[in-house]
Amino acid sequence: MPVWEEVRKVLDLLITQGQHELQLWGKTWKGSNNVYSKLNQSLGRQLIGIGCGAHIVYNAIKPAADCLPVDFECIILKIYSFFYIYSVRVEALKEFCDSSETEYHKMLGYSKTRWLALMPALERVIKMSQPLKNYFLSIDKCPNILKTFFENSTSELWLYFLHAQAATFHEAVLKIEVQNVSALESAMEINRLRDNLALKENTIFLPHIVRNRP
């Protein structure tokens, strides 16, 4: 029986046994209560643990984004929490949307376990950037971090720059996370991502909207 069929058989067995407490972590997770250890025990052979390709991508972009002059993770969470459950603030923001002829979109949060889940929230802030800026700079008790962000003329440029980079990583993750993708295919996709980023670095890539801003 091919190794993959053996692995599938063991995984099905683990599921049918109702081991919901099994921790789905990679080979670096200590202890024996994880999929990697269970497979080694059940198959009677030493598997080569290569980790999760998607998490490799996640672990690459997050520290890279932390090197930017703006903490977008903090900014987006601050904006989301500012409007979350506060209907009066939402209604006021809608008025600023009307005055700037921008369609209102509800602010989004994200799951901290996966940094690229921040991307939809990032896109939402981009779509609402002008009314958000007008709103926060008009209120008396604007959080200092948001006041500084919206007063800085380069903040929006960094916003577009991060979005362009995140989109490249996000595309790679979507290809890696499809069902039945092999380890070789994941490695090839990560190599393509690396080559893409190297090309952007060599050509001093800037998003079109950033390059053409006055």
Side-chain angles (χ1 to χ4, degrees), residues 41-59:
Q41 295 169 12
S42 299
L43 294 174
R45 67 179 71 180
Q46 184 64 38
L47 298 177
I48 300 176
I50 60 173
C52 172
H55 280 89
I56 292 173
V57 176
Y58 292 133
N59 293 337

Side-chain angles (χ1 to χ4, degrees), residues 60-75:
I61 187 172
K62 189 179 188 305
D66 288 340
C67 296
L68 296 178
V70 179
D71 187 346
F72 285 102
E73 186 174 3
C74 181
I75 292 295

Side-chain angles (χ1 to χ4, degrees), residues 22-40 47-53 55:
L22 191 65
Q23 300 177 44
L24 301 176
W25 296 93
K27 71 183 186 69
T28 56
W29 187 260
K30 296 180 180 179
S32 59
N33 192 32
N34 56 72
V35 168
Y36 179 71
S37 296
K38 294 289 184 180
L39 288 175
N40 275 326
L47 298 177
I48 300 176
I50 60 173
C52 172
H55 280 89

Side-chain angles (χ1 to χ4, degrees), residues 126 156-157 159-161 163-164 205-214:
I126 289 176
E156 187 177 2
L157 300 181
L159 194 67
Y160 282 109
F161 177 79
H163 178 265
F205 168 81
L206 286 175
H208 177 76
I209 193 170
V210 174
R211 188 181 295 275
N212 290 278
R213 286 292 290 270

